[in-house]
Protein backbone atom coordinates (compact mmCIF):
# COMPACT_ATOMS: atom_id res chain seq x y z
CA UNK A 1 0.00 0.00 0.00
CA UNK A 2 1.39 3.39 -0.96
CA UNK A 3 1.95 5.83 1.87
CA UNK A 4 -0.24 8.92 1.56
CA UNK A 5 2.28 11.73 0.97
CA UNK A 6 -0.05 14.48 2.18
CA UNK A 7 1.37 16.40 5.10
CA UNK A 8 -0.26 16.03 8.48
CA UNK A 9 -2.71 18.80 9.31
CA UNK A 10 -1.26 21.24 11.82
CA UNK A 11 -2.89 20.73 15.18
CA UNK A 12 -4.58 23.74 16.71
CA UNK A 13 -6.42 22.20 19.63
CA UNK A 14 -5.78 23.67 23.05
CA UNK A 15 -2.99 22.07 25.00
CA UNK A 16 -2.70 21.80 28.71
CA UNK A 17 -0.09 24.09 30.21
CA UNK A 18 3.52 23.62 29.22
CA UNK A 19 5.46 22.11 32.11
CA UNK A 20 8.59 19.97 32.04
CA UNK A 21 11.86 20.18 33.96
CA UNK A 22 13.54 16.84 33.46
CA UNK A 23 13.90 14.03 30.93
CA UNK A 24 12.06 11.28 32.83
CA UNK A 25 8.81 12.31 34.57
CA UNK A 26 5.69 10.70 33.03
CA UNK A 27 5.20 12.22 29.58
CA UNK A 28 1.73 13.72 29.11
CA UNK A 29 2.12 15.89 26.03
CA UNK A 30 4.72 16.32 23.31
CA UNK A 31 5.44 17.41 19.77
CA UNK A 32 6.37 14.69 17.27
CA UNK A 33 8.22 15.89 14.16
CA UNK A 34 7.21 15.51 10.55
CA UNK A 35 9.56 14.45 7.75
CA UNK A 36 7.77 15.93 4.76
CA UNK A 37 10.00 17.64 2.22
CA UNK A 38 13.17 17.19 4.29
CA UNK A 39 16.29 18.46 2.53
CA UNK A 40 19.99 17.88 3.16
CA UNK A 41 20.96 21.08 5.01
CA UNK A 42 23.27 23.16 2.83
CA UNK A 43 25.83 24.46 5.30
CA UNK A 44 29.36 25.72 4.86
CA UNK A 45 31.84 22.94 3.98
CA UNK A 46 33.74 23.54 7.25
CA UNK A 47 30.61 22.88 9.27
CA UNK A 48 29.71 19.77 7.28
CA UNK A 49 33.22 18.35 7.59
CA UNK A 50 33.23 18.98 11.32
CA UNK A 51 29.89 17.34 12.06
CA UNK A 52 28.76 14.95 9.31
CA UNK A 53 30.00 11.45 8.35
CA UNK A 54 32.70 11.77 5.67
CA UNK A 55 31.07 9.44 3.15
CA UNK A 56 28.05 11.76 2.94
CA UNK A 57 29.76 15.18 2.80
CA UNK A 58 28.97 15.59 -0.92
CA UNK A 59 25.21 15.43 -0.28
CA UNK A 60 25.00 18.62 1.81
CA UNK A 61 24.46 21.05 -1.06
CA UNK A 62 21.60 23.43 -1.84
CA UNK A 63 18.45 21.94 -3.31
CA UNK A 64 19.20 18.29 -2.50
CA UNK A 65 16.21 16.47 -0.98
CA UNK A 66 16.67 13.32 1.07
CA UNK A 67 15.71 10.26 -1.05
CA UNK A 68 11.94 10.04 -1.37
CA UNK A 69 11.74 6.46 -0.06
CA UNK A 70 13.67 7.44 3.08
CA UNK A 71 11.40 10.44 3.68
CA UNK A 72 8.23 8.38 3.08
CA UNK A 73 9.39 5.65 5.43
CA UNK A 74 10.52 8.19 8.02
CA UNK A 75 7.12 9.85 7.87
CA UNK A 76 5.44 6.49 8.37
CA UNK A 77 7.68 5.86 11.39
CA UNK A 78 6.94 9.29 12.86
CA UNK A 79 3.20 8.74 12.37
CA UNK A 80 3.65 5.34 14.04
CA UNK A 81 5.40 6.97 16.99
CA UNK A 82 2.61 9.55 17.29
CA UNK A 83 -0.01 6.75 17.26
CA UNK A 84 1.93 4.71 19.84
CA UNK A 85 2.21 7.70 22.17
CA UNK A 86 -1.48 8.54 21.76
CA UNK A 87 -2.41 4.93 22.50
CA UNK A 88 -0.58 5.39 25.82
CA UNK A 89 -2.53 8.53 26.65
CA UNK A 90 0.08 11.09 25.56
CA UNK A 91 -1.35 14.17 23.80
CA UNK A 92 0.62 14.60 20.56
CA UNK A 93 0.92 17.70 18.39
CA UNK A 94 2.59 17.87 14.98
CA UNK A 95 4.42 20.76 13.30
CA UNK A 96 2.97 22.73 10.44
CA UNK A 97 3.90 21.41 6.96
CA UNK A 98 6.61 23.55 5.32
CA UNK A 99 8.25 23.24 1.91
CA UNK A 100 11.90 23.31 2.97
CA UNK A 101 13.14 23.41 -0.63
CA UNK A 102 11.48 26.80 -1.01
CA UNK A 103 12.96 28.16 2.24
CA UNK A 104 16.42 26.65 1.87
CA UNK A 105 15.73 24.73 5.07
CA UNK A 106 16.28 21.24 6.48
CA UNK A 107 13.35 19.56 8.22
CA UNK A 108 10.62 19.67 10.85
CA UNK A 109 11.46 16.11 11.88
CA UNK A 110 13.72 17.21 14.76
CA UNK A 111 11.76 19.56 17.08
CA UNK A 112 14.22 18.95 19.96
CA UNK A 113 16.92 21.11 18.39
CA UNK A 114 15.23 24.50 18.31
CA UNK A 115 13.46 24.78 21.67
CA UNK A 116 14.26 24.10 25.31
CA UNK A 117 11.21 23.59 27.52
CA UNK A 118 11.96 24.53 31.13
CA UNK A 119 9.09 24.79 33.59
CA UNK A 120 6.33 26.62 31.72
CA UNK A 121 8.75 28.37 29.37
CA UNK A 122 9.57 27.50 25.77
CA UNK A 123 12.98 29.02 25.10
CA UNK A 124 13.93 29.55 21.46
CA UNK A 125 17.47 28.51 20.59
CA UNK A 126 19.52 30.93 18.44
CA UNK A 127 20.63 28.10 16.18
CA UNK A 128 23.91 28.38 14.33
CA UNK A 129 22.90 26.80 11.05
CA UNK A 130 21.70 29.15 8.34
CA UNK A 131 19.47 26.37 6.97
CA UNK A 132 17.56 26.39 10.26
CA UNK A 133 16.84 30.12 10.48
CA UNK A 134 13.24 29.64 9.30
CA UNK A 135 12.50 26.45 11.21
CA UNK A 136 10.34 28.32 13.72
CA UNK A 137 7.69 28.75 11.00
CA UNK A 138 6.77 25.06 11.34
CA UNK A 139 6.09 25.43 15.07
CA UNK A 140 4.61 28.91 15.35
CA UNK A 141 0.92 27.86 15.32
CA UNK A 142 1.63 25.45 18.19
CA UNK A 143 3.65 27.99 20.13
CA UNK A 144 0.88 30.58 19.81
CA UNK A 145 -1.62 28.01 21.12
CA UNK A 146 0.64 27.12 24.06
CA UNK A 147 1.05 30.81 24.82
CA UNK A 148 -2.71 31.31 24.86
CA UNK A 149 -2.82 28.46 27.32
CA UNK A 150 -0.48 30.21 29.71
CA UNK A 151 2.99 29.15 28.58
CA UNK A 152 5.76 31.73 28.34
CA UNK A 153 7.43 32.02 24.95
CA UNK A 154 11.01 33.26 25.22
CA UNK A 155 12.25 34.30 21.77
CA UNK A 156 15.99 34.12 21.24
CA UNK A 157 16.31 37.83 20.48
CA UNK A 158 19.41 37.03 18.43
CA UNK A 159 19.85 38.05 14.79
CA UNK A 160 19.63 35.05 12.51
CA UNK A 161 22.78 36.06 10.68
CA UNK A 162 24.91 32.95 10.64
CA UNK A 163 27.56 34.12 8.22
CA UNK A 164 29.46 35.90 11.01
CA UNK A 165 29.76 32.64 12.97
CA UNK A 166 32.03 31.15 10.35
CA UNK A 167 34.23 34.20 9.94
CA UNK A 168 37.64 33.09 11.14
CA UNK A 169 38.67 36.69 11.83
CA UNK A 170 36.00 37.14 14.48
CA UNK A 171 37.76 35.40 17.32
CA UNK A 172 39.20 32.19 18.70
CA UNK A 173 37.55 28.99 17.58
CA UNK A 174 38.56 26.66 20.42
CA UNK A 175 38.66 23.97 17.75
CA UNK A 176 34.99 24.46 16.86
CA UNK A 177 33.56 25.29 13.45
CA UNK A 178 31.88 28.44 14.77
CA UNK A 179 33.39 31.44 16.51
CA UNK A 180 31.87 33.45 19.34
CA UNK A 181 30.71 36.52 17.40
CA UNK A 182 27.07 36.05 18.38
CA UNK A 183 25.34 33.68 20.80
CA UNK A 184 24.60 30.28 19.26
CA UNK A 185 23.16 27.16 20.86
CA UNK A 186 21.03 24.24 19.81
CA UNK A 187 18.64 22.97 22.46
CA UNK A 188 19.78 19.40 21.82
CA UNK A 189 23.15 20.33 23.30
CA UNK A 190 21.39 20.49 26.71
CA UNK A 191 19.59 18.03 29.00
CA UNK A 192 17.32 18.88 31.91
CA UNK A 193 18.06 17.07 35.16
CA UNK A 194 15.32 18.61 37.33
CA UNK A 195 15.87 20.77 40.40
CA UNK A 196 16.86 23.68 38.19
CA UNK A 197 19.88 21.83 36.78
CA UNK A 198 20.62 21.80 33.06
CA UNK A 199 23.75 20.10 31.72
CA UNK A 200 25.14 20.71 28.27
CA UNK A 201 28.20 20.94 26.07
CA UNK A 202 30.07 23.29 23.80
CA UNK A 203 29.92 21.99 20.26
CA UNK A 204 30.21 22.95 16.61
CA UNK A 205 26.78 24.63 16.98
CA UNK A 206 26.92 25.87 20.61
CA UNK A 207 29.44 28.55 21.61
CA UNK A 208 30.40 30.13 24.92
CA UNK A 209 28.24 33.22 24.45
CA UNK A 210 25.40 30.86 23.56
CA UNK A 211 25.77 29.20 26.96
CA UNK A 212 25.73 32.64 28.63
CA UNK A 213 22.66 33.54 26.56
CA UNK A 214 20.88 30.42 27.81
CA UNK A 215 21.91 31.17 31.42
CA UNK A 216 20.44 34.68 31.11
CA UNK A 217 17.26 33.34 29.55
CA UNK A 218 16.78 30.78 32.36
CA UNK A 219 17.59 33.21 35.17
CA UNK A 220 18.70 32.68 38.76
CA UNK A 221 16.54 29.61 39.48
CA UNK A 222 18.58 27.51 37.06
CA UNK A 223 22.16 26.29 36.88
CA UNK A 224 23.65 25.42 33.48
CA UNK A 225 26.73 23.27 33.82
CA UNK A 226 28.91 22.16 30.92
CA UNK A 227 30.12 18.59 30.52
CA UNK A 228 33.14 17.81 28.37
CA UNK A 229 32.47 14.74 26.25
CA UNK A 230 35.48 13.64 24.21
CA UNK A 231 33.81 14.20 20.85
CA UNK A 232 35.65 16.12 18.13
CA UNK A 233 32.47 16.10 16.04
CA UNK A 234 30.24 17.29 18.88
CA UNK A 235 26.81 18.43 17.83
CA UNK A 236 23.98 17.57 20.26
CA UNK A 237 24.61 15.81 23.54
CA UNK A 238 21.75 13.33 23.33
CA UNK A 239 23.85 10.55 21.80
CA UNK A 240 26.48 10.98 24.53
CA UNK A 241 24.35 10.97 27.68
CA UNK A 242 20.86 9.65 28.36
CA UNK A 243 19.33 10.26 31.81
CA UNK A 244 16.77 7.52 32.53
CA UNK A 245 15.59 8.76 35.93
CA UNK A 246 16.89 10.80 38.84
CA UNK A 247 20.21 9.18 39.71
CA UNK A 248 20.53 6.82 36.71
CA UNK A 249 21.93 7.55 33.25
CA UNK A 250 23.46 5.80 30.27
CA UNK A 251 26.68 7.28 28.90
CA UNK A 252 28.48 6.82 25.62
CA UNK A 253 31.73 5.02 26.59
CA UNK A 254 33.51 6.38 23.51
CA UNK A 255 32.95 9.94 24.75
CA UNK A 256 32.40 9.96 28.53
CA UNK A 257 33.51 8.12 31.63
CA UNK A 258 32.16 8.24 35.18
CA UNK A 259 35.51 9.85 36.06
CA UNK A 260 34.88 12.64 33.54
CA UNK A 261 31.52 13.27 35.21
CA UNK A 262 33.03 13.37 38.70
CA UNK A 263 32.85 17.15 39.09
CA UNK A 264 29.40 17.54 37.57
CA UNK A 265 25.83 17.28 38.89
CA UNK A 266 25.97 13.59 37.86
CA UNK A 267 28.72 12.79 40.36
CA UNK A 268 26.51 10.66 42.62
CA UNK A 269 24.53 9.03 39.84
CA UNK A 270 24.66 5.41 38.79
CA UNK A 271 26.27 5.64 35.35
CA UNK A 272 26.10 2.72 32.94
CA UNK A 273 27.78 2.44 29.54
CA UNK A 274 25.28 2.23 26.68
CA UNK A 275 25.62 -0.93 24.59
CA UNK A 276 27.85 -0.51 21.54
CA UNK A 277 25.67 0.11 18.49
CA UNK A 278 25.64 -2.36 15.62
CA UNK A 279 27.14 -0.98 12.38
CA UNK A 280 24.70 -0.73 9.53
CA UNK A 281 24.78 0.46 5.93
CA UNK A 282 21.07 0.70 5.11
CA UNK A 283 19.22 2.86 5.53
CA UNK A 284 22.27 5.17 5.68
CA UNK A 285 23.08 7.31 8.69
CA UNK A 286 23.60 10.49 6.66
CA UNK A 287 24.02 12.82 9.62
CA UNK A 288 25.02 10.94 12.76
CA UNK A 289 27.25 8.31 14.26
CA UNK A 290 25.77 4.86 15.04
CA UNK A 291 25.51 6.05 18.66
CA UNK A 292 22.17 7.51 17.65
CA UNK A 293 21.05 4.21 19.24
CA UNK A 294 21.18 5.88 22.68
CA UNK A 295 18.87 8.76 21.65
CA UNK A 296 16.00 7.28 23.67
CA UNK A 297 12.79 8.86 24.92
CA UNK A 298 11.78 8.06 28.49
CA UNK A 299 7.99 7.96 28.92
CA UNK A 300 8.05 7.56 32.69
CA UNK A 301 9.28 5.18 35.39
CA UNK A 302 8.32 2.05 33.42
CA UNK A 303 8.60 2.69 29.71
CA UNK A 304 11.34 3.79 27.32
CA UNK A 305 11.10 4.04 23.53
CA UNK A 306 13.74 1.96 21.75
CA UNK A 307 14.41 1.28 18.05
CA UNK A 308 12.56 -1.94 17.27
CA UNK A 309 15.67 -3.89 16.17
CA UNK A 310 17.93 -2.84 19.07
CA UNK A 311 18.09 -6.07 21.09
CA UNK A 312 21.06 -5.03 23.21
CA UNK A 313 19.41 -1.78 24.36
CA UNK A 314 16.15 -3.63 25.12
CA UNK A 315 18.02 -6.24 27.16
CA UNK A 316 19.85 -3.57 29.18
CA UNK A 317 16.65 -1.64 29.88
CA UNK A 318 14.87 -4.83 30.96
CA UNK A 319 17.70 -5.55 33.40
CA UNK A 320 17.15 -2.06 34.80
CA UNK A 321 13.46 -2.81 35.37
CA UNK A 322 12.00 -0.99 32.34
CA UNK A 323 9.60 -2.29 29.72
CA UNK A 324 11.17 -1.13 26.45
CA UNK A 325 8.60 -0.05 23.86
CA UNK A 326 9.93 -1.12 20.47
CA UNK A 327 9.19 1.28 17.65
CA UNK A 328 10.62 1.12 14.09
CA UNK A 329 12.65 4.30 13.60
CA UNK A 330 15.64 3.55 11.33
CA UNK A 331 14.54 5.88 8.54
CA UNK A 332 14.00 8.76 10.94
CA UNK A 333 17.54 8.07 12.16
CA UNK A 334 18.70 8.51 8.54
CA UNK A 335 17.40 12.09 8.69
CA UNK A 336 19.60 12.93 11.68
CA UNK A 337 18.00 11.86 14.94
CA UNK A 338 16.06 9.29 16.90
CA UNK A 339 13.33 9.42 19.54
CA UNK A 340 14.75 12.24 21.66
CA UNK A 341 15.58 14.42 18.64
CA UNK A 342 12.26 13.78 16.90
CA UNK A 343 10.15 14.88 19.88
CA UNK A 344 9.82 17.88 22.16
CA UNK A 345 8.50 17.38 25.67
CA UNK A 346 5.68 19.80 26.34
CA UNK A 347 4.42 18.45 29.61
CA UNK A 348 5.64 15.81 32.03
CA UNK A 349 3.57 15.01 35.10
CA UNK A 350 5.04 16.47 38.23
CA UNK A 351 3.78 17.91 41.48
CA UNK A 352 5.70 21.06 40.63
CA UNK A 353 3.45 21.86 37.64
CA UNK A 354 0.05 21.21 39.22
N1 LIG B 1 25.97 14.19 16.75
C1 LIG B 1 25.58 12.99 17.45
C2 LIG B 1 24.11 12.74 17.34
C3 LIG B 1 23.30 13.52 18.29
C4 LIG B 1 21.81 13.22 18.24
C5 LIG B 1 26.26 11.79 16.89
O1 LIG B 1 26.47 11.75 15.68
O2 LIG B 1 26.56 10.87 17.64
Amino acid sequence: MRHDPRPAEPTTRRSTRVGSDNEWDPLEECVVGTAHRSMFPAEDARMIRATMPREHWHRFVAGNPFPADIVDNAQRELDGLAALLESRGVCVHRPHAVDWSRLGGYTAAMPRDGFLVVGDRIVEAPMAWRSRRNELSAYLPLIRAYEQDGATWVPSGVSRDSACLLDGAAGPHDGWAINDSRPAWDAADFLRLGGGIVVGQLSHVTNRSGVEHLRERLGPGYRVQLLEPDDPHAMHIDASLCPLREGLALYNPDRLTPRALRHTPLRDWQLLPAPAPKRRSRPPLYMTSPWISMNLLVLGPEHVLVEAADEDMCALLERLGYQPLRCPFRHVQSLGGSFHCATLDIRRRSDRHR
Side-chain angles (χ1 to χ4, degrees):
M1 194 175 74
R2 184 154 165 69
H3 176 61
D4 182 350
R6 277 175 307 177
E9 287 298 315
T11 310
T12 49
R13 68 173 175 264
R14 282 295 184 91
S15 69
T16 52
R17 274 176 62 94
V18 171
S20 177
D21 257 325
N22 63 39
E23 307 285 338
W24 56 79
D25 275 344
L27 186 68
E28 294 187 333
E29 180 163 343
C30 71
V31 178
V32 171
T34 184
H36 292 295
R37 300 197 176 97
S38 296
M39 307 286 291
F40 282 96
E43 291 297 324
D44 186 276
R46 278 167 294 179
M47 175 59 77
I48 296 304
R49 284 164 190 245
T51 55
M52 297 293 120
R54 176 186 289 267
E55 64 272 28
H56 297 301
W57 285 352
H58 62 285
R59 301 180 195 277
F60 294 85
V61 292
N64 189 21
F66 283 94
D69 63 315
I70 300 258
V71 173
D72 282 355
N73 280 315
Q75 187 59 31
R76 218 188 321 256
E77 290 170 355
L78 287 160
D79 292 347
L81 170 62
L84 172 64
L85 289 169
E86 282 176 334
S87 77
R88 306 201 68 87
V90 179
C91 176
V92 173
H93 289 166
R94 308 298 294 273
H96 193 73
V98 170
D99 181 354
W100 299 111
S101 65
R102 202 171 51 76
L103 292 181
Y106 160 40
T107 190
M110 307 296 161
R112 184 72 60 177
D113 300 345
F115 312 97
L116 194 70
V117 171
V118 276
D120 68 357
R121 281 179 284 177
I122 307 173
V123 185
E124 183 191 20
M127 288 195 282
W129 282 15
R130 189 176 158 73
S131 59
R132 309 195 79 168
R133 68 195 183 286
N134 293 315
E135 214 164 290
L136 176 61
S137 58
Y139 303 96
L140 217 42
L142 289 178
I143 287 167
R144 294 291 167 249
Y146 293 134
E147 267 191 306
Q148 277 174 21
D149 213 40
T152 304
W153 166 240
V154 185
S156 81
V158 172
S159 144
R160 288 169 195 277
D161 178 9
S162 291
C164 61
L165 284 168
L166 293 158
D167 177 0
H173 283 61
D174 293 345
W176 303 117
I178 56 171
N179 60 42
D180 216 10
S181 59
R182 65 118 164 125
W185 54 274
D186 274 15
D189 269 328
F190 298 90
L191 293 165
R192 301 149 315 139
L193 299 188
I197 295 172
V198 174
V199 292
Q201 65 176 9
L202 295 174
S203 77
H204 293 290
V205 293
T206 293
N207 59 19
R208 289 183 189 280
S209 49
V211 176
E212 283 315 310
H213 176 270
L214 175 59
R215 286 188 175 125
E216 282 162 22
R217 286 292 187 271
L218 296 185
Y222 285 84
R223 180 153 66 94
V224 180
Q225 182 152 349
L226 293 183
L227 312 183
E228 295 183 8
D230 180 7
D231 180 7
H233 307 292
M235 178 176 144
H236 303 168
I237 198 167
D238 46 357
S240 299
L241 185 71
C242 175
L244 291 172
R245 59 178 177 245
E246 172 104 56
L248 175 65
L250 304 183
Y251 66 90
N252 178 328
D254 278 1
R255 299 177 186 166
L256 282 168
T257 60
R259 190 184 162 91
L261 295 168
R262 208 167 40 176
H263 300 294
T264 76
L266 293 129
R267 74 181 73 78
D268 296 324
W269 285 42
Q270 184 185 2
L271 299 164
L272 299 172
K278 300 258 185 310
R279 299 271 152 188
R280 75 182 214 207
S281 56
R282 299 226 43 96
L285 288 173
Y286 294 118
M287 297 186 64
T288 71
S289 74
W291 285 104
I292 199 64
S293 57
M294 58 180 293
N295 192 259
L296 309 174
L297 185 71
V298 178
L299 299 192
E302 291 171 4
H303 298 105
V304 181
L305 281 164
V306 185
E307 209 295 318
D310 195 340
E311 300 299 338
D312 293 346
M313 186 64 83
C314 287
L316 172 61
L317 289 167
E318 280 167 3
R319 282 202 300 280
L320 293 171
Y322 288 94
Q323 292 173 37
L325 296 177
R326 293 167 184 259
C327 182
F329 225 53
R330 288 156 67 91
H331 298 86
V332 181
Q333 293 178 345
S334 291
L335 302 184
S338 199
F339 301 104
H340 195 255
C341 301
T343 55
L344 176 66
D345 309 4
I346 292 298
R347 183 177 172 84
R348 287 185 182 266
R349 189 166 72 242
S350 158
D351 291 343
R352 293 181 299 281
H353 305 128
R354 287 202 188 108

